[in-house]
Amino acid sequence: MKASEIRQKWLDFFAEKGHKIEPSSPLVPHNDPSLLWINAGMAPLKPYFDGRVKPENPRIANAQKCIRTNDIENVGKTRRHHTFFEMLGNFSIGDYFKVEAITWAWEFLTDPKWIGFDPERLSVTVYPEDQEAFDLWKNKIGLPEERIYKVEDNFWDIGEGPCGPCTEIFYDRGDAYGDLSDPECWPGGENERFLEVWNLVFSQFNHNKDGSYTPLPNKNIDTGAGLERFASILQNVDSNFDTDLFVPIIEQISEIAGVRYKDNEEQDVALKVIADHIRTVVFAVGDGVLPSNEGRGYVIRRLLRRAVRYGKVLRINQPFLYRLVPVVGKVMGVYYNEVTDKAEFIDKVIRTEEERFHETLSDGLAILAGLADKAKQDGSGRIGGADAFKLYDTYGFPLDLTEDFAQEHGLDVDREGFEQAMEAQRERARAARQDNDSMKVQGGPLADFTDKSEFVGYNELVTTAKVIAIVREGQMAEEANEGDICQVVLDRTPFYAESGGQISDTGMLTGAQAKAKVEDVSKAPHGQHVMTVKVEQGTLRAGDTVEAVVDRIKRDDIIKNHTATHLLHQALKDVLGEHVNQAGSLVAPERLRFDFSHFGGISPEELQDIEVRVNRQIWNRTGLDISLMPIAEAKAMGAMALFGEKYGDIVRVVRIGDYSIELCGGCHVGSTAEIGLFKIVSESGIGSGVRRVEAVTGRYAYEYLEQQLDLLRQSAAMLKSGISDVPRRIDSMLGQVRELNKEIESLRGKLSHLEAGSLTDRLQEVDGVPVLASRVDAGDMDSLRTIVDELKTKLESGIIVLGAAVDGKVNLVAAVTPDLVGKGYHAGKIVKEAAAICGGGGGGRPDMAQAGGKDPSKLEEAIRQVPELIKRMA
């Protein structure tokens, strides 16, 4: 039976049983750390289970996509570990319970119309204290007692929220998968013979924040069955990877690699890992999770890079994962349309990420393999921390991949040594920054250095130059060795030194005996451009001739933003007024930031006008004219000078057609057309009379617009409308929300009335005074007061004290009827003493008072002490 048929049978079976079939929804974070994300369609179930919300249909079923990465190292090495899997679920919210859940599970599994398992191959486990489930399996289903196992772990509890006992159903795969004489060969043991296929959770308790358990208002059913496991049994294959959910993907990888599945164990592991990881990455990207260096994005980046590395095991040395997107869509798109509808976008994201990683992967893997061989030969069994750090620092090889590689070769990594090397690097960088700062002040190592250094970077990005000075560890030096971070001065340099808001260039210095990476450039006391470099190979010596090469891509992005900054400055003056003046700026490759003087806000219409004016200059393909002239002449021409900047007698003037003219020492495009596109991404106030605009240009502007458009597409899809209809749909939905909020307030009032009615049965007499002290479920202090008010209308005479635990805190409200106030009973004093037990305080009037506490675990004790508090007042 195909996996798609199993999935459909599941949905059809429960549809026949009156369940609403929930569609597939985007992945969202889950509160169980071992489940990274679950299907968003299940997110609303918690308020259903704890009784806060009543669903339209109390019976729900679905096929939900799940991602779990807590045991990633086992993927590909066991039959059933995956980072992405499908969970088939059926749920009851206060409707049917154990009888139906167990009966239907047995029917679905054993009836030939549905799954048709041999009943003799099925066993179950139950929670030892759940006698009801045990009796149902034994007496109603007819399972022999010896196939019903009591297991202490059969209590589903993942922290705060709904929980309860569970029963797990196992399928016996037969003697080929395990010997019954093995103590672990039983349902629930560590074996391959008894395969868990379904877990029925009887959600009947709530795990409270204070660690206590209270019965839920309604008993619920929450079940999960693994589609991949069903498929492996029904297709009679050895593992999940041999099912039709994986085989087409594995076959495609094998074709790309030119290998055959099941010919070689090492290759098989690689094929399985790649097949697993590509499913996860495709679904995650399809749901909007993009590779990054933090959060969920980092998990996806790690999975993608692991898959690329396993591709190396198959001798695949070029990007290939993106080529698997269509086959994943073919396998999964029957039910999950998003993997086919967004295939082009998913392909682009994966290909881009692969290409970036391939740039450094090959060299890193070759070095890592050598380190592994060395560790085996010298008997240490460990890759040194310094070596692991070099891989990370020089080749961009993540530590977790180094650790994965080491583990596969029976080795470990000196993580402590890695951290020490990382800290040493930070110290060197700090020292380098201090050295760098010292270049700018009198008394530093270059204070008396007056040799000329010519900047040629306006017109040349590659030049041959001579090393005329080296500063290492704060001192003038003759040479710098591999691994050193030092400062270098050339007799002529193409590297721009950070100034005027434009960040410095980066690039490479390459000589006959050395190779050094230029990481920063600043100016020395006498104006020379001083490069901070890291020597990557060999020894760099004073007097060496080197080729100096600026990173052209980075420079091209920078100059687009610098010229756009000039256009923005003028556009701001045009729209807001001549009072606008620059108060600071940043010109980086990926963005520009411009601070300016302006009192008051900027309207959306003004911001749009500013943006259009800048783009109009870009569309006009306006040329730039850059020249040197006396400062008086420049000012006579109307050139803008920046406040606080120092200018010499001869200044550099940058003119953009007849639109903008400024004094500027920075680098610029030849024509505004090179900027391509200008887009403002934010505008805000950053101080009294100072505002800030951030913007992007060129390819970064395109990427920004594409991201915004993708968000709009996603929004339209979620709203089930066309993009042009999104505002109208949102307006309509906001109207519905307002109506629902009114209904919620009305329902809250009704619930308070019902809660108050159920509490009157808890009245007790304390020295002849009617007292009602109880813990209740109330979401906030207002709800608690409402319940107290309801109770006061029902009691002619009495004292009421109610408490609730909300968000880790305690709320308490006390009320005393007028006749008892006259006898000396005081609500404020009662509630104050009760709150003190919970680590809090409060008080109020004699007839009504409220208080708060910090320790919810003490709430029950505080409620129990109320009679004693009242006795002391008598």
Side-chain angles (χ1 to χ4, degrees):
M1 190 183 299
K2 292 181 179 178
S4 58
E5 294 177 69
I6 300 169
R7 187 193 298 116
Q8 193 58 51
K9 281 180 178 287
W10 177 277
L11 300 176
D12 291 344
F13 176 84
F14 284 104
E16 285 190 10
K17 304 298 183 184
H19 289 64
K20 177 187 177 184
I21 306 303
E22 286 283 346
S24 169
S25 300
L27 293 155
V28 296
H30 188 264
N31 59 351
D32 177 359
S34 68
L35 285 175
L36 182 60
W37 309 302
I38 64 168
N39 185 283
M42 294 299 97
L45 285 180
K46 185 175 179 180
Y48 293 157
F49 281 175
D50 62 23
R52 285 176 287 159
V53 179
K54 185 177 180 180
E56 292 181 11
N57 189 327
R59 300 182 180 187
I60 298 172
N62 80 334
Q64 70 185 58
K65 48 192 176 183
C66 304
I67 291 179
R68 178 171 58 196
T69 59
N70 64 324
D71 47 11
I72 189 173
E73 67 280 355
N74 292 322
V75 173
K77 300 173 185 176
T78 69
R79 289 178 169 92
R80 278 169 287 281
H81 275 97
H82 303 295
T83 58
F84 174 90
F85 57 96
E86 284 187 75
M87 189 69 74
L88 307 175
N90 65 287
F91 309 88
S92 166
I93 296 92
D95 186 32
Y96 63 83
F97 200 49
K98 293 181 185 178
V99 174
E100 294 86 351
I102 289 175
T103 303
W104 289 343
W106 189 257
E107 178 185 352
F108 180 75
L109 292 175
T110 60
D111 189 332
K113 176 184 176 182
W114 303 108
I115 297 300
F117 283 158
D118 179 356
E120 297 300 316
R121 286 182 174 268
L122 297 176
S123 302
V124 301
T125 58
V126 297
Y127 187 57
E129 297 178 21
D130 192 358
Q131 189 63 37
E132 182 184 2
F134 183 93
D135 292 341
L136 284 170
W137 283 116
K138 180 182 177 182
N139 301 324
K140 185 171 180 63
I141 301 302
L143 264 184
E145 191 168 330
E146 61 268 20
R147 281 164 45 203
I148 307 172
Y149 298 80
K150 293 184 177 181
V151 179
E152 285 289 343
D153 289 341
N154 275 42
F155 193 93
W156 189 256
D157 187 352
I158 55 174
E160 184 184 351
C163 60
C166 65
T167 183
E168 296 173 331
I169 306 173
F170 292 81
Y171 181 86
D172 182 356
R173 303 209 71 183
D175 294 340
Y177 290 88
D179 189 338
L180 293 177
S181 63
D182 183 346
E184 282 294 321
C185 195
W186 63 281
E190 291 293 330
N191 66 87
E192 293 290 345
R193 176 166 180 160
F194 292 94
L195 183 61
E196 181 196 337
V197 293
W198 202 342
N199 186 7
L200 313 180
V201 178
F202 309 124
S203 184
Q204 59 194 83
F205 302 107
N206 191 65
H207 185 161
N208 303 309
K209 286 186 176 181
D210 60 4
S212 63
Y213 293 83
T214 52
L216 290 169
N218 299 304
K219 297 178 179 179
N220 311 298
I221 292 294
D222 177 356
T223 86
L227 176 63
E228 291 83 359
R229 296 188 178 200
F230 273 143
S232 68
I233 297 171
L234 292 169
Q235 295 172 22
N236 193 29
V237 292
D238 183 60
S239 78
N240 295 354
F241 290 100
D242 298 309
T243 67
D244 62 345
L245 290 165
F246 286 93
V247 167
I249 304 172
I250 290 175
E251 288 177 345
Q252 180 68 24
I253 303 166
S254 299
E255 182 179 333
I256 293 171
V259 300
R260 291 179 58 182
Y261 182 41
K262 295 192 174 179
D263 270 3
N264 176 285
E265 184 176 351
E266 183 184 14
Q267 290 180 352
D268 285 352
V269 170
L271 290 167
K272 293 174 184 177
V273 170
I274 296 168
D276 171 90
H277 288 8
I278 190 60
R279 294 205 319 162
T280 308
V281 172
V282 165
F283 273 93
V285 173
D287 281 348
V289 182
L290 302 182
S292 69
N293 285 329
E294 59 186 12
R296 296 190 296 165
Y298 178 70
V299 174
I300 295 307
R301 172 164 284 172
R302 183 189 179 196
L303 288 173
L304 194 148
R305 289 184 171 187
R306 284 187 98 243
V308 171
R309 185 170 62 77
Y310 274 99
K312 295 289 186 180
V313 175
L314 302 175
R315 296 182 176 84
I316 304 176
N317 296 311
Q318 66 283 330
F320 73 100
L321 292 174
Y322 72 93
R323 296 170 59 185
L324 303 176
V325 174
V327 69
V328 174
K330 184 177 180 181
V331 173
M332 307 299 293
V334 175
Y335 186 71
Y336 300 104
N337 298 329
E338 61 270 25
V339 297
T340 51
D341 294 345
K342 298 181 180 179
E344 185 176 347
F345 172 73
I346 297 169
D347 176 300
K348 179 182 176 182
V349 170
I350 293 176
R351 185 191 299 209
T352 300
E353 183 69 14
E354 276 191 280
E355 288 172 347
R356 288 175 178 171
F357 188 47
H358 266 280
E359 293 175 2
T360 57
L361 181 61
S362 296
D363 290 343
L365 277 176
I367 294 172
L368 188 52
L371 293 172
D373 289 341
K374 178 183 175 184
K376 291 175 183 178
Q377 291 171 6
D378 63 22
S380 67
R382 165 173 286 200
I383 293 174
D387 291 328
F389 179 75
K390 183 175 181 181
L391 279 168
Y392 166 82
D393 189 43
T394 305
Y395 298 96
F397 212 78
L399 178 61
D400 52 27
L401 289 191
T402 300
E403 290 178 324
D404 285 344
F405 185 96
Q407 185 180 55
E408 290 160 13
H409 289 77
L411 307 170
D412 65 7
V413 177
D414 179 11
R415 179 175 275 270
E416 184 178 346
F418 176 89
E419 295 296 342
Q420 290 173 352
M422 175 74 82
E423 183 56 33
Q425 168 75 313
R426 294 190 186 108
E427 287 294 336
R428 288 195 298 270
R430 281 192 285 267
R433 285 194 295 272
Q434 291 169 0
D435 290 345
N436 208 20
D437 291 341
S438 74
M439 306 299 146
K440 306 173 187 177
V441 299
Q442 298 299 326
L446 294 177
D448 298 321
F449 185 76
T450 57
D451 289 13
K452 183 180 178 182
S453 176
E454 179 187 8
F455 174 64
V456 297
Y458 288 133
N459 303 307
E460 298 178 38
L461 298 185
V462 179
T463 191
T464 300
K466 179 181 177 182
V467 177
I468 57 175
I470 296 175
V471 176
R472 183 164 55 85
E473 297 179 352
Q475 302 292 326
M476 296 292 284
E478 288 300 312
E479 63 182 37
N481 300 309
E482 182 172 336
D484 285 344
I485 295 177
C486 61
Q487 285 69 47
V488 173
V489 181
L490 304 177
D491 63 343
R492 58 196 319 266
T493 179
F495 294 96
Y496 183 84
E498 180 173 350
S499 61
Q502 179 179 327
I503 71 168
S504 67
D505 288 325
T506 57
M508 297 298 298
L509 299 180
T510 305
Q513 305 298 324
K515 185 177 182 181
K517 183 178 181 181
V518 178
E519 299 179 334
D520 190 26
V521 189
S522 59
K523 289 184 179 180
H526 295 283
Q528 302 97 333
H529 287 209
V530 182
M531 289 149 287
T532 297
V533 308
K534 179 181 180 181
V535 182
E536 294 187 339
Q537 294 177 14
T539 299
L540 184 68
R541 296 180 174 84
D544 282 355
T545 297
V546 296
E547 182 182 52
V549 182
V550 171
D551 182 334
R552 181 180 294 274
I553 294 175
K554 180 179 177 182
R555 168 71 83 85
D556 286 346
D557 290 332
I558 288 172
I559 63 177
K560 288 180 175 70
N561 284 333
H562 202 153
T563 303
T565 300
H566 284 218
L567 296 174
L568 172 62
H569 194 177
Q570 185 59 52
L572 287 165
K573 284 181 172 288
D574 291 346
V575 175
L576 303 178
E578 286 297 320
H579 65 277
V580 169
N581 284 300
Q582 180 175 331
S585 72
L586 170 69
V587 180
E590 70 279 359
R591 67 187 175 109
L592 67 89
R593 185 183 71 221
F594 191 79
D595 299 340
F596 57 97
S597 55
H598 179 63
F599 290 89
I602 300 176
S603 70
E605 294 77 14
E606 288 174 326
L607 206 61
Q608 184 177 28
D609 189 6
I610 292 164
E611 187 174 272
V612 168
R613 288 170 183 265
V614 173
N615 277 302
R616 189 176 294 125
Q617 293 302 317
I618 295 171
W619 303 330
N620 288 343
R621 306 174 64 87
T622 307
L624 275 74
D625 178 71
I626 301 175
S627 56
L628 298 174
M629 63 181 66
I631 190 168
E633 183 181 339
K635 289 182 176 180
M637 293 173 59
M640 282 191 286
L642 302 184
F643 180 78
E645 287 286 328
K646 295 180 179 179
Y647 297 99
D649 294 333
I650 302 297
V651 293
R652 190 168 182 263
V653 180
V654 177
R655 285 184 290 185
I656 308 175
D658 58 3
Y659 187 71
S660 167
I661 178 169
E662 289 191 36
L663 307 183
C664 179
C667 305
H668 292 272
V669 298
S671 163
T672 57
E674 296 175 34
I675 300 171
L677 181 65
F678 172 85
K679 183 65 185 173
I680 294 173
V681 298
S682 70
E683 187 278 330
S684 61
I686 61 169
S688 179
V690 180
R691 303 196 68 81
R692 170 173 291 174
V693 166
E694 294 193 65
V696 287
T697 64
R699 61 193 176 106
Y700 292 98
Y702 171 79
E703 290 174 4
Y704 172 79
L705 289 173
E706 189 62 23
Q707 289 169 3
Q708 300 304 302
L709 184 57
D710 189 56
L711 289 173
L712 188 56
R713 292 189 193 105
Q714 292 180 41
S715 300
M718 293 170 68
L719 294 168
K720 297 180 179 179
S721 72
I723 288 177
S724 60
D725 292 329
V726 167
R728 180 183 60 80
R729 288 283 292 135
I730 291 175
D731 186 59
S732 173
M733 292 180 74
L734 287 174
Q736 294 175 29
V737 169
R738 286 190 289 270
E739 291 301 315
L740 288 171
N741 283 335
K742 292 179 183 177
E743 186 177 345
I744 288 169
E745 289 303 315
S746 174
L747 289 172
R748 280 178 176 169
K750 293 177 182 178
L751 285 172
S752 296
H753 181 76
L754 292 172
E755 181 83 12
S758 67
L759 288 171
T760 54
D761 295 335
R762 303 181 190 180
L763 271 173
Q764 57 181 307
E765 281 203 1
V766 178
D767 292 340
V769 175
V771 175
L772 199 167
S774 179
R775 175 175 180 161
V776 297
D777 289 324
D780 53 33
M781 190 67 83
D782 288 340
S783 300
L784 200 58
R785 283 197 299 266
T786 300
I787 297 172
V788 171
D789 288 338
E790 287 281 346
L791 287 169
K792 285 172 66 178
T793 65
K794 297 177 182 292
L795 298 178
E796 292 182 5
S797 175
I799 297 174
I800 304 164
V801 180
L802 299 184
V806 182
D807 296 329
K809 297 180 180 179
V810 173
N811 289 337
L812 289 162
V813 174
V816 178
T817 55
D819 61 312
L820 295 176
V821 170
K823 294 181 180 181
Y825 293 98
H826 195 290
K829 294 178 181 178
I830 295 171
V831 81
K832 181 179 180 180
E833 291 195 43
I837 296 172
C838 300
R845 304 190 312 270
D847 63 323
M848 176 72 84
Q850 68 184 46
K854 300 176 182 177
D855 189 355
S857 68
K858 299 290 186 181
L859 177 57
E860 297 290 350
E861 181 182 346
I863 296 296
R864 287 196 301 270
Q865 291 295 320
V866 167
E868 289 299 320
L869 300 178
I870 292 172
K871 285 180 181 179
R872 293 203 292 267
M873 289 188 178

